[in-house]
Amino acid sequence: MCTLLVNATMIAMELKSPEEILKMLEGYRKIVLFGDSGCAQMCDVGGILQLEDMEDFLRQNGKEVLGRIFVEGGICDTNNIRQELIKNQEMLERADAFLIQACGVATQTLTELMPEKESFPAANSKFLGSMPERFVHEERCIMCGDCILDLTGGICPIARCAKGILNGPCGGSMDGKCERDPDTDCVWQLIYDRLKALGKLDNLRSIWKVKDWSLARGPREIIKQET
Amino acid sequence: MKHSQGFPETALKRMLESGRFTVTGEVGPPHGADHSLVLDRTNLVKDYCDAINITDNVRGIPTMSSMVCARFVIQAGAEPVMQMSARDRNRILFESELYGAYALGVRNVLFITGDHTILGSHPQAKMVYDLDSIQALQLASHLMTGQDLAGDELEGVPAFYLGATLNPNADPMELQVWRVEKKRDAGAQFFQTQAIYDTSRLEQFMEQIEPFGVKVLAGLIPLKGPKMATFMNERIPGIKIPKSFIERLEQAGDGLKGDEKREAVRSEGLKIAAETIKKVRGIRGISGIHIMAIGWEESIPELVRAAGLYPRPK
Ligand code: SF4
Ligand code: SF4
């Protein structure tokens, strides 16, 4: 079930530059690499191949790579990763630092589980996106905490309007494109077209109220009560 | 919407409601701390305009605060229209600045979405957009009822003549028309348009917003030359300058050089603007013009005279 979820939507990320990675690892010699088969693999930052490449790169730059821990599923699944840590305990104890080729959540999960050593982020987490084709990721959601896709015909203006406005489009929308750059669609044009096709243009006739952005700010948590 | 004080009587409101053709102009705030530039620029144009807009960090290029500049416009003996963009302030700062602006004597306020910062000199800035321009209008209207957004009673109730922008060039037209209605419902009494060159879209647009009963000032940006026109087509959101105008500017002053050439090109630019004024005056529902000179304040007196709109009624 978890993999299905991960396949449907993912945290899109990119590896940091080699210079940046070497800079953050300055003063640490023995490194353990982390990757996973979820978002990290799909974004080509922490799949098996990228872990191998990183190992070669770090070796060439004078580091000792003690090993790679590749997790089936996501590093964010704490129970899952805990098993891996127990299995690799001896190696982890010898390490000076960990390099996490996955999202910011993964790095923080490992920081919490192994506070005695530092976990470094090898990737920049960028957005929640879809993957229309291999190597292409498009932002779709910024997790605003109060989803309004029901009003917009399933297209998110918060994540996909360059200004995130609620009563769009702004005056910069021309020929279906956004004022920010001519390659990006104006999402309000897309919403308009979609609602028109659905016969729901009335959704756009009244003023949409001021948003409660406090729901979009962290730290947030969800604790589900069993029923 | 209920207003405890109603809309204040501003010169702009009186002009627009009198049915006389109204002229507003724009003064760009200094890119630095020299307030005398605001006074100078205001003095240059004040006899030619019924009210003077103060822009608000256009394209995210930082300039002197619009509230402060509006105050200097008053000091120079003119009436300001203070612009406020939703890009750089959240609801708290909107409220705070509206109280301050009122206390400083500012009565006309115009709300804009604000250009994306990527178009200016500080593309790395974090944009705010806590509200959009329509919600900012609602907020201003709400403050005029004597309460803030939390429902707390105000120590002194502000009253503003509220304005907004519209862009007939923007898409989709139907939705842009509804946005005018939403802005009116949120409290906007007058509208200034994005710069108009080809007047046919404006004409179509005006027909559609006629039922809303709002006052519209057609926006103009006089063109200094073909380079500026091309730059604007590429970099200023929501503007469409027809090729034929750019060609006229290219051909102006053929055979001339240096200053003479420049003068010829500029006067062609002013000629185009004067023709546009003539055309928009013929469009039903247009109540006046709004000249955005963008650093070429000298063009405002020339244009107003050329259009036969000088002297301005007192
Ligand atoms: S409305 Fe909020 S929760 Fe829904 S898709 Fe957009 S950003 Fe995500
Ligand atoms: S052009 Fe459309 S997508 Fe771009 S900022 Fe304006 S409303 Fe948002």
Side-chain angles (χ1 to χ4, degrees), chain A residues 195-210:
Chain A
L195 289 176
K196 194 169 184 174
L198 292 174
K200 287 189 168 178
L201 274 180
D202 266 357
N203 288 6
L204 300 176
R205 287 309 291 263
S206 52
I207 299 174
W208 288 12
K209 287 209 191 61
V210 172

Side-chain angles (χ1 to χ4, degrees), chain A residues 128 140-149 156-159 211:
Chain A
L128 267 196
R140 289 293 177 264
C141 173
I142 61 162
M143 298 185 279
C144 72
D146 183 16
C147 195
I148 52 161
L149 289 176
C156 175
I158 313 292
K211 195 169 172 67

Side-chain angles (χ1 to χ4, degrees), chain B residues 1-7 141-147 154 156-159:
Chain B
M1 194 158 289
K2 192 178 113 259
H3 298 289
S4 58
Q5 308 198 355
F7 291 107
S141 294
H142 178 75
L143 297 180
M144 287 160 68
T145 68
Q147 290 187 340
L154 300 184
V157 183

Side-chain angles (χ1 to χ4, degrees), chain B residues 167-179:
Chain B
N167 185 4
N169 300 320
D171 293 314
M173 191 188 265
E174 186 175 29
L175 198 40
Q176 296 292 352
V177 166
W178 293 346
R179 270 167 52 87

Side-chain angles (χ1 to χ4, degrees), chain A residues 5-25:
Chain A
L5 252 176
V6 167
N7 274 324
T9 150
M10 79 177 95
I11 297 175
M13 57 199 128
E14 275 177 331
L15 273 182
K16 289 176 177 283
S17 70
E19 301 79 50
E20 212 181 330
I21 290 172
L22 285 181
K23 181 131 204 297
M24 67 174 91
L25 292 180

